[in-house]
Amino acid sequence: LFVLGPELCLPGHQVIGSAHVERVDQAIRHYNEPWGILKEFILPGGSPAAAQAHVLRCVARRAERSVVAVPSEALPQDGPRLYLNRLSDLLFVLARTLNAHAGPAAVLWAPKRNETDKNWSPSGDCDCDCDCDCDCDCDCDYKNRALH
């Protein structure tokens, strides 16, 4: 972010180009390769290193919002905005990688539990004793929510 500063405050000064953005994209592809497509929301947290990567991601997003707010006449080049966007994505992927190497799994978001539904589980499986499938006659609250 310090290297990016002169581009933001000196008219006509360009530091970040497409090669910088491409290097970040390559790192994202490299670290994201083991994970594949994300199918669940991941909450910030996990290992201390991963939690710090999530904090840094927030800093990068805040910087990106500030750059986006600058009028295009004052900052005509796209490099800073694109770089900050990709940097925050890289930090998210690094947080997943750090959690995987540290041992604790990623912290997944689970919908708020409905306290009246005693069979609901955040894993998406029915916890009742009927071993229901979508086609069974079970009348548990889980099935009635149509979460299968």
Side-chain angles (χ1 to χ4, degrees):
L1 294 178
F2 286 115
V3 173
L4 186 60
E7 187 164 347
L8 299 174
C9 65
L10 298 172
H13 187 77
Q14 186 170 359
V15 177
I16 303 296
S18 60
H20 296 93
V21 176
E22 180 54 35
R23 258 183 283 172
V24 175
D25 275 333
Q26 288 173 355
I28 291 169
R29 285 191 296 274
H30 171 76
Y31 289 107
N32 203 32
E33 187 176 351
W35 310 121
I37 296 172
L38 188 62
K39 296 178 181 167
E40 298 160 308
F41 289 107
I42 296 178
L43 296 175
S47 71
Q52 189 62 41
H54 282 296
V55 170
L56 294 171
R57 179 177 59 93
C58 291
V59 171
R61 284 282 188 223
R62 185 176 348 133
E64 179 188 8
R65 286 191 304 272
S66 296
V67 168
V68 167
V70 175
S72 59
E73 308 82 49
L75 187 64
Q77 58 273 27
D78 283 335
R81 182 183 52 80
L82 294 172
Y83 184 81
L84 288 168
N85 177 270
R86 304 314 296 147
L87 177 62
S88 63
D89 288 349
L90 174 61
L91 290 165
F92 175 79
V93 171
L94 287 175
R96 291 180 77 188
T97 302
L98 289 165
N99 269 338
H101 289 297
V107 181
L108 302 178
W109 177 80
K112 186 173 181 179
R113 180 175 180 203
N114 179 347
E115 295 300 325
T116 63
D117 184 355
K118 57 189 169 291
N119 296 320
W120 181 88
S121 79
S123 68
D125 298 324
C126 180
D127 285 340
C128 68
D129 294 329
C130 71
D131 294 325
C132 73
D133 197 336
C134 295
D135 302 353
C136 81
D137 293 327
C138 172
D139 194 31
C140 72
D141 291 335
Y142 179 80
K143 182 175 180 183
N144 292 335
R145 287 164 150 241
L147 291 177
H148 282 286

